[in-house]
Amino acid sequence: MAEPFYITTAINYPNGRPHIGHAYEGIATDVMARFQRLMGRDVRFVTGTDEHGLKMDQTARNLGRKTIDLADEMSGHFRDMADKLNLSYDEFVRTTEQRHHAASIELWKRMEANGDLYLDRYEGWYSVRDEAFYDESELVDGEGDEKLSPQGTPVEWTAEETWFFRLSNYQDKLLALYRDNPDFIRPESRRNEVMRFVEGGLKDLSVSRTSFDWGVPVPGSEGHVMYVWVDALTTYMTGVGFPDANGEMFQRYWPANIHMIGKDIVRFHTVYWPAFLMSANLPLPKQVFGHGFLLARGGEKMSKSAGNVVDPMELADTYGVDQLRYFFMREIAFGQDGSYSAEAIVQRANGELGNAFGNLAQRTLGFIAKNLDGYLPAIHGHTESDAELFETVDRAISSEIPDAFSSLAFQQGVEVWLRAAFACNGYIDAEAPWALRKTDPERMETVLATLYICIAQLAVAIEPVIPGSSATLLDTMGIPTENRSYDGIRDHWYSALAESGFQIEAPKPLFPRLELREEESAA
């Protein structure tokens, strides 16, 4: 049986429609999930929406709506985004589902049984926007006497009866976790930040609220609902069958291999989450990766208040789903902040997807369809130049791309793929099969067969990034399903396909040329 691999996005907070940052995270997580499938792993990919908490309740009240109605609508937008962007998720979990309430209550009971919960009174600063508590020492000055969270969000003084989690008991255990498992938090800069925070001392954490009732009820404690992060983090286990901790699915997939999250919520995932799991005597996730922000033109962080939020659905409709996915993985070093512009999407799509790969496939396959009636060309012995191209492409798909993708270095993996595509273009220009058609038809066939094999290999290699276009091309080329993996496409499939009498039809352009809209050109 294939080795399991479990990956999640952050559980998105749907008090508004999804923005381009949600799309970026979802695409990156999907690229990793698809890559692991191509490597033969049994992948489970979970995403969803975190629908509880004061912020969600206040948003609904301000709109004069029932909170569950707003949650239903907004969660639907996030699911639509995941489907639009071709995210291959296995489970979409909503925190308002009863199965998730059961999972959260079980986690709570386990922490309580371990003696880590106690009732007291909380007085301190709380950010509704972050759904987070902050110590006085963490606040920064705003305008006048205003105090802000480290994220620059407003905070308010809160006082209420609450359940506390004995987070202070886990300081040494967490530091040992970071020390003994250096890849638990990635990239390194996030790990250093978290270690400094924990080394500074941990205070017990308020984990229930009584000032509102929109959340998972605390078992045996009337009027209390769970702190939204206790509830939200548990979603990762709901997606693999918890609270049935002895069930086949939970036993197979938990703990998660990777939680893919934004850098602004690293603390919740690398301090609170492992402490909760330690208390509940449950295995810890293997890695939390805190990626950077996607910034607007000029390097500004996108936010509704700044009026620069970009709708990913509109971008996908305008430029194409695969073109958008490619841009994100090609343009930005994963883990660092990156910027977006319509001009950059168009340049990458036209210059690299269109010219370097799309045109390569178009002229090679079109030439075969026109000059060989679509029958695959025979191989009449390879030359040194053929061997060099095979070696370049094979090295890319057998080691360089997998090595990069497995370490979440998506940009480097795409660069390797692009260099291999450039090598194919250099080869076709040097060998000139259109000239060989008259002077050496057998050599022409070998050149075309060499290109056919390499194009198919490159189409499989880039499938995690541009799955729709890759599938279209591989279907056109007649590549069997069993060969659509990193190992399978290196097998000797070509002879069998050629001998089967397969005929290729003249392909349609994979990546039609994009043009900037007038307002974007003016900008």
Side-chain angles (χ1 to χ4, degrees), residues 375-378 493-502:
Y375 290 105
L376 300 195
W493 51 268
Y494 182 80
S495 295
L497 183 61
E499 291 169 4
S500 71
F502 173 77

Side-chain angles (χ1 to χ4, degrees), residues 103-154:
S104 301
I105 290 169
E106 175 65 17
L107 179 69
W108 184 280
K109 288 180 176 178
R110 284 173 175 244
M111 295 191 296
E112 187 175 38
N114 201 44
D116 283 330
L117 298 176
Y118 64 92
L119 196 61
D120 205 338
R121 183 172 179 80
Y122 175 80
E123 291 189 9
W125 295 102
Y126 188 75
S127 166
V128 176
R129 190 178 301 175
D130 297 345
E131 295 285 9
F133 302 98
Y134 292 106
D135 187 80
E136 182 87 31
S137 62
E138 296 182 88
L139 302 183
V140 297
D141 292 330
E143 295 183 4
D145 296 330
E146 183 184 25
K147 295 290 185 181
L148 301 175
S149 77
Q151 312 295 337
T153 57

